[in-house]
Coordinates of all heavy atoms in Angstrom, one line a residue:
I13 N 62.2 77.2 79.5 CA 61.2 78.2 79.5 C 61.8 79.6 79.9 O 62.3 79.7 81.0 CB 60.0 77.9 80.4 CG1 59.4 76.5 80.0 CG2 59.0 79.0 80.4 CD1 58.4 76.0 81.0
F35 N 55.0 76.3 74.3 CA 53.9 77.2 74.3 C 54.0 78.3 75.4 O 53.8 79.5 75.2 CB 52.6 76.4 74.5 CG 51.3 77.2 74.5 CD1 50.8 77.7 73.4 CD2 50.7 77.4 75.7 CE1 49.6 78.5 73.4 CE2 49.5 78.2 75.8 CZ 49.0 78.7 74.7
V36 N 54.4 77.8 76.6 CA 54.5 78.8 77.7 C 55.7 79.7 77.4 O 55.6 80.9 77.7 CB 54.8 78.0 79.0 CG1 55.2 78.9 80.2 CG2 53.5 77.2 79.4
D37 N 56.8 79.2 76.9 CA 57.9 80.1 76.6 C 57.5 81.1 75.6 O 57.9 82.3 75.8 CB 59.1 79.2 76.0 CG 60.3 80.1 75.7 OD1 60.9 80.7 76.6 OD2 60.6 80.1 74.5
E38 N 56.8 80.7 74.5 CA 56.4 81.7 73.5 C 55.5 82.8 74.1 O 55.6 84.0 73.8 CB 55.6 81.0 72.4 CG 55.2 81.8 71.3 CD 54.5 81.0 70.2 OE1 54.9 79.9 69.9 OE2 53.4 81.5 69.7
H39 N 54.6 82.4 75.0 CA 53.7 83.3 75.6 C 54.5 84.3 76.5 O 54.2 85.5 76.5 CB 52.6 82.6 76.5 CG 51.4 83.4 76.6 ND1 51.3 84.4 77.5 CD2 50.2 83.3 76.0 CE1 50.1 84.9 77.5 NE2 49.4 84.2 76.6
M40 N 55.4 83.8 77.2 CA 56.2 84.7 78.1 C 57.1 85.6 77.3 O 57.3 86.8 77.6 CB 57.1 83.9 79.0 CG 56.3 83.2 80.2 SD 57.3 82.3 81.3 CE 58.2 83.7 82.1
Q41 N 57.6 85.1 76.1 CA 58.5 86.0 75.3 C 57.6 87.2 74.7 O 58.1 88.3 74.7 CB 59.0 85.2 74.1 CG 60.0 84.1 74.5 CD 61.3 84.6 75.1 OE1 61.7 85.8 74.9 NE2 62.0 83.7 75.7
R42 N 56.4 86.9 74.3 CA 55.5 87.9 73.8 C 55.1 88.9 74.9 O 55.1 90.1 74.7 CB 54.2 87.3 73.2 CG 54.4 86.7 71.9 CD 53.1 86.4 71.2 NE 52.1 85.8 72.0 CZ 51.7 84.6 72.0 NH1 52.3 83.7 71.2 NH2 50.8 84.1 72.8
A43 N 54.8 88.4 76.1 CA 54.5 89.3 77.3 C 55.7 90.2 77.6 O 55.5 91.3 77.9 CB 54.1 88.4 78.5
A44 N 56.9 89.6 77.6 CA 58.1 90.4 77.9 C 58.3 91.6 76.9 O 58.6 92.7 77.3 CB 59.3 89.5 77.9
R46 N 55.9 93.1 75.2 CA 54.8 94.1 75.4 C 55.1 94.9 76.7 O 54.8 96.1 76.7 CB 53.5 93.4 75.6 CG 52.9 92.9 74.3 CD 51.4 92.6 74.4 NE 51.1 91.8 75.6 CZ 51.1 90.5 75.8 NH1 51.6 89.8 74.8 NH2 50.8 89.9 76.9
T52 N 61.3 88.5 85.7 CA 60.8 87.2 85.2 C 59.5 86.8 85.9 O 58.6 86.3 85.3 CB 61.9 86.1 85.3 OG1 63.0 86.5 84.6 CG2 61.3 84.8 84.8
R53 N 59.5 87.1 87.2 CA 58.3 86.7 88.0 C 57.1 87.5 87.5 O 56.0 86.9 87.4 CB 58.6 86.9 89.5 CG 57.4 86.4 90.3 CD 57.7 86.5 91.8 NE 58.2 87.8 92.1 CZ 58.5 88.2 93.4 NH1 58.4 87.3 94.3 NH2 58.8 89.4 93.6
K54 N 57.2 88.8 87.3 CA 56.1 89.6 86.8 C 55.7 89.1 85.4 O 54.5 89.0 85.1 CB 56.5 91.0 86.8 CG 56.6 91.6 88.2 CD 56.9 93.1 88.1 CE 57.0 93.7 89.5 NZ 57.4 95.1 89.5
I55 N 56.6 88.8 84.6 CA 56.3 88.3 83.2 C 55.5 86.9 83.3 O 54.5 86.7 82.6 CB 57.5 88.1 82.4 CG1 58.1 89.5 82.1 CG2 57.2 87.4 81.1 CD1 59.5 89.6 81.5
A56 N 56.0 86.1 84.3 CA 55.3 84.8 84.5 C 53.9 85.0 85.0 O 53.0 84.3 84.5 CB 56.1 83.9 85.4
V57 N 53.7 85.9 85.9 CA 52.4 86.1 86.5 C 51.5 86.7 85.4 O 50.3 86.3 85.2 CB 52.4 87.0 87.7 CG1 51.0 87.5 88.1 CG2 53.1 86.3 88.9
L58 N 52.0 87.7 84.6 CA 51.2 88.2 83.5 C 50.8 87.1 82.5 O 49.6 87.1 82.1 CB 51.9 89.3 82.8 CG 51.3 90.0 81.6 CD1 50.0 90.6 82.0 CD2 52.2 91.0 81.0
S59 N 51.7 86.3 82.2 CA 51.4 85.2 81.2 C 50.4 84.2 81.8 O 49.5 83.8 81.1 CB 52.7 84.4 80.9 OG 53.6 85.3 80.2
A60 N 50.5 83.9 83.1 CA 49.6 83.0 83.7 C 48.2 83.6 83.7 O 47.2 82.9 83.5 CB 50.0 82.7 85.2
L61 N 48.1 84.9 84.0 CA 46.8 85.5 84.0 C 46.2 85.5 82.6 O 45.0 85.3 82.4 CB 46.9 87.0 84.5 CG 47.0 87.1 86.0 CD1 47.3 88.5 86.4 CD2 45.8 86.6 86.8
E62 N 47.0 85.8 81.6 CA 46.5 85.8 80.2 C 46.0 84.4 79.8 O 45.0 84.3 79.1 CB 47.5 86.4 79.3 CG 47.7 87.9 79.4 CD 48.9 88.4 78.6 OE1 49.7 87.6 78.0 OE2 49.0 89.7 78.6
L63 N 46.8 83.4 80.2 CA 46.5 82.0 79.8 C 45.2 81.6 80.6 O 44.4 80.9 80.0 CB 47.6 81.1 80.1 CG 48.8 81.2 79.2 CD1 50.0 80.5 79.7 CD2 48.5 80.8 77.8
A64 N 45.1 82.0 81.8 CA 43.9 81.7 82.6 C 42.6 82.3 82.0 O 41.6 81.7 81.9 CB 44.0 82.1 84.0
D65 N 42.8 83.6 81.5 CA 41.7 84.3 80.9 C 41.3 83.5 79.6 O 40.1 83.3 79.3 CB 42.1 85.7 80.5 CG 41.0 86.5 79.8 OD1 39.9 86.5 80.4 OD2 41.3 87.1 78.8
E66 N 42.3 83.1 78.8 CA 42.0 82.4 77.6 C 41.3 81.1 77.9 O 40.3 80.7 77.3 CB 43.3 82.1 76.9 CG 43.2 81.5 75.5 CD 44.5 81.4 74.8 OE1 45.3 82.4 74.9 OE2 44.7 80.4 74.1
Y67 N 41.8 80.4 78.9 CA 41.2 79.1 79.3 C 39.7 79.3 79.8 O 38.8 78.5 79.3 CB 42.0 78.5 80.5 CG 41.2 77.4 81.2 CD1 41.2 76.1 80.6 CD2 40.5 77.6 82.4 CE1 40.5 75.1 81.2 CE2 39.8 76.6 83.0 CZ 39.8 75.3 82.4 OH 39.1 74.3 83.0
F68 N 39.4 80.3 80.6 CA 38.1 80.5 81.1 C 37.1 80.9 79.9 O 36.0 80.5 79.9 CB 38.0 81.6 82.2 CG 38.4 81.0 83.5 CD1 39.6 81.2 84.1 CD2 37.4 80.2 84.2 CE1 40.0 80.6 85.3 CE2 37.8 79.7 85.5 CZ 39.0 79.9 86.0

Side-chain angles (χ1 to χ4, degrees):
I13 300 172
F35 179 76
V36 171
D37 180 65
E38 183 181 318
H39 205 282
M40 287 183 68
Q41 296 292 343
R42 284 195 316 258
R46 282 194 320 273
T52 303
R53 186 173 53 178
K54 288 181 180 177
I55 292 168
V57 169
L58 175 61
S59 294
L61 286 171
E62 289 174 351
L63 289 169
D65 180 54
E66 188 175 320
Y67 167 79
F68 278 102

